Amino acid sequence: MIGSGTSDHLDTKEAPGPAEIVLPDSGTMTLGRAKDNTVVIDVSTVSSKHASITVAASGVKISDVGSTNGTFVDSLQVTAGYSKPLTNGTTVIFGDEFLAKYEFVDDTTPAAAADNAPANVVEARAWIDAWKSKQ
């Protein structure tokens, strides 16, 4: 089961994970609860070594590295050891949709460049505001 449907079990008004994850221009980054990951998501439903994101000329891909609670792309679980492409607007969940839900925003598109947005961002969206409003 993914998430409990509420955030009532939390003792803080701060979102537990990073609000946005800026991807490198190329290469692989690791995500998980352990401090030695490129991106630390300090949420109990995120495994210490949870997932990796690879940025290459061919696009951005995410892989689950054997997490306990799974990595989901647009509600479909990523099988450990396999990768799924991320496209603009893709929703990514690391273990719990109420604590670690992100939307992939490709800010390298011409429209985004016009707004001077940073390159390749996986960004938390309205769920943070919705989550905070319940506090």
Side-chain angles (χ1 to χ4, degrees), residues 24 52 57 59 80 86 96 110 116 118 127 130:
S52 65
L86 297 181
D96 186 319
N116 295 320
W127 74 272

PDB file of all heavy atoms in Angstrom, residues 24 52 57 59 80 86 96 110 116 118 127 130:
ATOM      1  N   PRO A  24      21.755  17.080 -12.815  1.00  0.00           N
ATOM      2  CA  PRO A  24      22.980  17.519 -13.501  1.00  0.00           C
ATOM      3  C   PRO A  24      22.737  17.582 -15.012  1.00  0.00           C
ATOM      4  O   PRO A  24      21.760  17.025 -15.518  1.00  0.00           O
ATOM      5  CB  PRO A  24      23.986  16.421 -13.153  1.00  0.00           C
ATOM      6  CG  PRO A  24      23.140  15.202 -12.946  1.00  0.00           C
ATOM      7  CD  PRO A  24      21.858  15.706 -12.324  1.00  0.00           C
ATOM      8  N   SER A  52      17.933   5.810  -8.707  1.00  0.00           N
ATOM      9  CA  SER A  52      18.948   6.625  -9.375  1.00  0.00           C
ATOM     10  C   SER A  52      18.306   7.288 -10.583  1.00  0.00           C
ATOM     11  O   SER A  52      17.350   6.762 -11.163  1.00  0.00           O
ATOM     12  CB  SER A  52      20.153   5.788  -9.803  1.00  0.00           C
ATOM     13  OG  SER A  52      19.790   4.847 -10.790  1.00  0.00           O
ATOM     14  N   ALA A  57      22.315  12.441 -23.243  1.00  0.00           N
ATOM     15  CA  ALA A  57      21.829  13.094 -24.456  1.00  0.00           C
ATOM     16  C   ALA A  57      20.515  12.481 -24.930  1.00  0.00           C
ATOM     17  O   ALA A  57      19.671  13.159 -25.510  1.00  0.00           O
ATOM     18  CB  ALA A  57      22.883  13.011 -25.553  1.00  0.00           C
ATOM     19  N   GLY A  59      18.112  11.459 -23.043  1.00  0.00           N
ATOM     20  CA  GLY A  59      17.009  11.813 -22.155  1.00  0.00           C
ATOM     21  C   GLY A  59      17.309  11.507 -20.700  1.00  0.00           C
ATOM     22  O   GLY A  59      18.432  11.178 -20.329  1.00  0.00           O
ATOM     23  N   ALA A  80      12.763  -3.057 -10.082  1.00  0.00           N
ATOM     24  CA  ALA A  80      14.160  -2.886  -9.662  1.00  0.00           C
ATOM     25  C   ALA A  80      15.099  -3.387 -10.758  1.00  0.00           C
ATOM     26  O   ALA A  80      14.895  -4.451 -11.330  1.00  0.00           O
ATOM     27  CB  ALA A  80      14.415  -3.634  -8.367  1.00  0.00           C
ATOM     28  N   LEU A  86      11.762   9.675 -18.146  1.00  0.00           N
ATOM     29  CA  LEU A  86      10.973  10.754 -17.561  1.00  0.00           C
ATOM     30  C   LEU A  86      10.734  11.796 -18.645  1.00  0.00           C
ATOM     31  O   LEU A  86      11.675  12.215 -19.322  1.00  0.00           O
ATOM     32  CB  LEU A  86      11.707  11.391 -16.379  1.00  0.00           C
ATOM     33  CG  LEU A  86      11.985  10.485 -15.190  1.00  0.00           C
ATOM     34  CD1 LEU A  86      12.701  11.263 -14.092  1.00  0.00           C
ATOM     35  CD2 LEU A  86      10.695   9.887 -14.655  1.00  0.00           C
ATOM     36  N   ASP A  96       6.226   6.834  -1.001  1.00  0.00           N
ATOM     37  CA  ASP A  96       4.996   7.329  -0.384  1.00  0.00           C
ATOM     38  C   ASP A  96       4.519   8.581  -1.102  1.00  0.00           C
ATOM     39  O   ASP A  96       5.210   9.598  -1.114  1.00  0.00           O
ATOM     40  CB  ASP A  96       5.255   7.634   1.088  1.00  0.00           C
ATOM     41  CG  ASP A  96       3.994   8.024   1.851  1.00  0.00           C
ATOM     42  OD1 ASP A  96       3.159   8.774   1.319  1.00  0.00           O
ATOM     43  OD2 ASP A  96       3.856   7.591   3.006  1.00  0.00           O
ATOM     44  N   PRO A 110      12.163  25.327 -25.000  1.00  0.00           N
ATOM     45  CA  PRO A 110      12.234  26.750 -25.366  1.00  0.00           C
ATOM     46  C   PRO A 110      11.352  27.645 -24.509  1.00  0.00           C
ATOM     47  O   PRO A 110      11.759  28.722 -24.110  1.00  0.00           O
ATOM     48  CB  PRO A 110      11.776  26.754 -26.827  1.00  0.00           C
ATOM     49  CG  PRO A 110      12.111  25.396 -27.327  1.00  0.00           C
ATOM     50  CD  PRO A 110      11.901  24.480 -26.147  1.00  0.00           C
ATOM     51  N   ASN A 116      13.875  31.874 -18.038  1.00  0.00           N
ATOM     52  CA  ASN A 116      15.155  31.777 -17.327  1.00  0.00           C
ATOM     53  C   ASN A 116      15.121  30.737 -16.214  1.00  0.00           C
ATOM     54  O   ASN A 116      15.728  30.915 -15.164  1.00  0.00           O
ATOM     55  CB  ASN A 116      15.559  33.147 -16.757  1.00  0.00           C
ATOM     56  CG  ASN A 116      15.836  34.135 -17.842  1.00  0.00           C
ATOM     57  OD1 ASN A 116      16.437  33.797 -18.860  1.00  0.00           O
ATOM     58  ND2 ASN A 116      15.381  35.366 -17.662  1.00  0.00           N
ATOM     59  N   PRO A 118      15.977  27.156 -14.294  1.00  0.00           N
ATOM     60  CA  PRO A 118      17.176  26.326 -14.270  1.00  0.00           C
ATOM     61  C   PRO A 118      16.991  25.071 -15.120  1.00  0.00           C
ATOM     62  O   PRO A 118      15.865  24.630 -15.349  1.00  0.00           O
ATOM     63  CB  PRO A 118      17.316  25.956 -12.789  1.00  0.00           C
ATOM     64  CG  PRO A 118      15.947  26.108 -12.229  1.00  0.00           C
ATOM     65  CD  PRO A 118      15.289  27.201 -13.018  1.00  0.00           C
ATOM     66  N   TRP A 127       1.307  19.575  -4.105  1.00  0.00           N
ATOM     67  CA  TRP A 127       1.122  18.661  -2.971  1.00  0.00           C
ATOM     68  C   TRP A 127       1.718  19.233  -1.707  1.00  0.00           C
ATOM     69  O   TRP A 127       1.214  18.993  -0.616  1.00  0.00           O
ATOM     70  CB  TRP A 127       1.666  17.263  -3.266  1.00  0.00           C
ATOM     71  CG  TRP A 127       3.155  17.159  -3.260  1.00  0.00           C
ATOM     72  CD1 TRP A 127       3.986  17.373  -4.295  1.00  0.00           C
ATOM     73  CD2 TRP A 127       3.983  16.828  -2.151  1.00  0.00           C
ATOM     74  NE1 TRP A 127       5.290  17.206  -3.909  1.00  0.00           N
ATOM     75  CE2 TRP A 127       5.319  16.867  -2.605  1.00  0.00           C
ATOM     76  CE3 TRP A 127       3.733  16.502  -0.819  1.00  0.00           C
ATOM     77  CZ2 TRP A 127       6.392  16.585  -1.771  1.00  0.00           C
ATOM     78  CZ3 TRP A 127       4.811  16.222   0.005  1.00  0.00           C
ATOM     79  CH2 TRP A 127       6.116  16.269  -0.471  1.00  0.00           C
ATOM     80  N   ALA A 130      -0.885  21.643  -0.411  1.00  0.00           N
ATOM     81  CA  ALA A 130      -2.023  20.883   0.101  1.00  0.00           C
ATOM     82  C   ALA A 130      -1.665  20.224   1.424  1.00  0.00           C
ATOM     83  O   ALA A 130      -2.449  20.219   2.372  1.00  0.00           O
ATOM     84  CB  ALA A 130      -2.462  19.841  -0.918  1.00  0.00           C
TER      85      ALA A 130
END
